[in-house]
Amino acid sequence: MAVRPGPAAFQRRGVRVRRISLAIVALAMLGALASGCGGGGKVIVQNGEQISVNRTKYLKALDLQRKQDWFNALKEWDEVIKDEPRFALAHHNKAVCYDMMNFVPEALAEYELARRYDPNNSITLNNLGAIYLRADNRLNSAFDALQEALKLDPYRPSIHYNLAAAYLTSKDFDKALMHADTAVDLVAAPSKETENGLQKSVDLPMLARYLLRQAECHIERSEMDKARKALERVEKQCREKVPADLWARVGSAESTEEVPPRG
């Protein structure tokens, strides 16, 4: 049996940094419930059905997840689920913990359970679609989950971001660019009052990721000038570093373009 690396190894790989947006979204969902928890338990309505959640166990799991202590948070979410196996939010956040550690099959199973118990949660569907993209031969499943999420929540930029990735994988570069552009437009709130031309509330690391995907779409469409502009925005507007391989793809693609004869 293969031995999985411990949390220190995952931190060295940067897994927590790459998937930090997952944790932020999950904690926003958790916080909404925590604010309503009182006493020893809490009855909530989930998908038209009342379920009871143990407040103490729930808050302990929440605290560990906020601290990004994924292994111990998993144990505590298991305790919450033992009391109420139908609690979709617990399955969702257990999936997030697995996802942040790159345990794809385990995360996939928990997201599926979360969808079973709360089928109209766009955040769960979006995360499920994203992890299908990382699983083997699950592109169609990714499209199904992401399209469901889009119907429920058409203005969530991360859904468009993930759909752009799905269409890139399927080599439908026109649709990939459409969703990449939408993701960027939904995040990049302009302002004439700031040095970078963006409102102070803009999440710059998120915008940088979306611009990188937009650049990838332009590269696949052989639109190198537009790709370069997107990469320049990453560095100038977002103050983030562009991966060297993306700059290389822009440069190498340009070098192979046919030069018209002179004279």
Side-chain angles (χ1 to χ4, degrees):
M1 179 181 294
V3 178
R4 286 178 172 155
F10 287 110
Q11 189 167 3
R12 286 196 300 272
R13 292 182 193 173
V15 172
R16 298 202 307 184
V17 175
R18 289 199 303 273
R19 298 191 177 85
I20 197 68
S21 58
L22 278 174
I24 292 170
V25 169
L27 290 175
M29 296 169 65
L30 287 164
L33 180 58
S35 63
C37 285
K42 175 70 177 177
V43 175
I44 65 170
V45 177
Q46 173 186 281
N47 198 32
E49 183 179 10
Q50 287 190 343
I51 61 174
S52 180
V53 177
N54 184 294
R55 178 179 183 271
T56 302
K57 293 179 181 179
Y58 166 82
L59 291 177
K60 186 175 181 180
L62 171 60
D63 182 59
L64 289 166
Q65 190 158 337
R66 279 183 173 149
K67 294 174 180 176
Q68 300 178 25
D69 186 352
W70 311 120
F71 281 93
N72 287 315
L74 278 171
K75 295 177 184 177
E76 295 306 321
W77 286 123
D78 279 337
E79 292 299 314
V80 174
I81 290 169
K82 282 180 185 177
D83 292 337
E84 180 46 83
R86 301 166 298 168
F87 187 23
L89 186 56
H91 288 289
H92 175 101
N93 285 284
K94 188 178 175 184
V96 169
C97 293
Y98 279 130
D99 203 348
M100 298 290 282
M101 296 186 294
N102 205 30
F103 290 0
V104 173
E106 293 86 347
L108 187 55
E110 291 297 329
Y111 281 133
E112 287 283 16
L113 285 170
R115 177 167 70 169
R116 178 192 301 176
Y117 296 123
D118 189 9
N120 294 318
N121 189 309
S122 64
I123 297 176
T124 294
L125 289 166
N126 185 34
N127 287 0
L128 179 61
I131 205 161
Y132 272 137
L133 288 173
R134 289 157 49 208
D136 293 332
N137 302 315
R138 301 303 298 269
L139 182 59
N140 288 337
S141 298
F143 273 118
D144 289 343
L146 292 170
Q147 292 292 357
E148 282 186 58
L150 187 65
K151 289 177 184 177
L152 293 165
D153 199 354
Y155 299 109
R156 183 174 293 277
S158 59
I159 297 174
H160 292 280
Y161 174 76
N162 288 325
L163 275 168
Y167 282 115
L168 277 171
T169 302
S170 66
K171 300 190 183 303
D172 188 338
F173 302 131
D174 291 344
K175 288 184 179 178
L177 179 60
M178 178 186 72
H179 285 288
D181 285 348
T182 302
V184 169
D185 290 344
L186 287 170
V187 173
S191 172
K192 296 181 180 179
E193 308 297 326
T194 59
E195 183 180 351
N196 66 0
L198 297 168
Q199 293 181 17
K200 293 181 180 179
S201 60
V202 172
D203 185 328
L204 295 180
M206 177 186 291
L207 177 58
R209 290 195 301 274
Y210 292 2
L211 285 166
L212 291 175
R213 183 143 296 167
Q214 185 184 57
E216 287 184 80
C217 295
H218 284 305
I219 290 170
E220 295 295 349
R221 288 162 52 92
S222 299
E223 298 170 341
M224 298 306 154
D225 286 343
K226 292 179 179 179
R228 184 182 295 103
K229 288 178 182 178
L231 297 181
E232 287 173 350
R233 287 184 66 186
V234 172
E235 295 189 339
K236 293 178 181 179
Q237 274 195 312
C238 304
R239 303 294 176 88
E240 296 283 337
K241 187 174 181 179
V242 172
D245 65 304
L246 271 182
W247 279 125
R249 287 176 67 189
V250 172
S252 63
E254 282 192 329
S255 66
T256 59
E257 290 178 357
E258 183 177 352
V259 178
R262 296 182 180 179

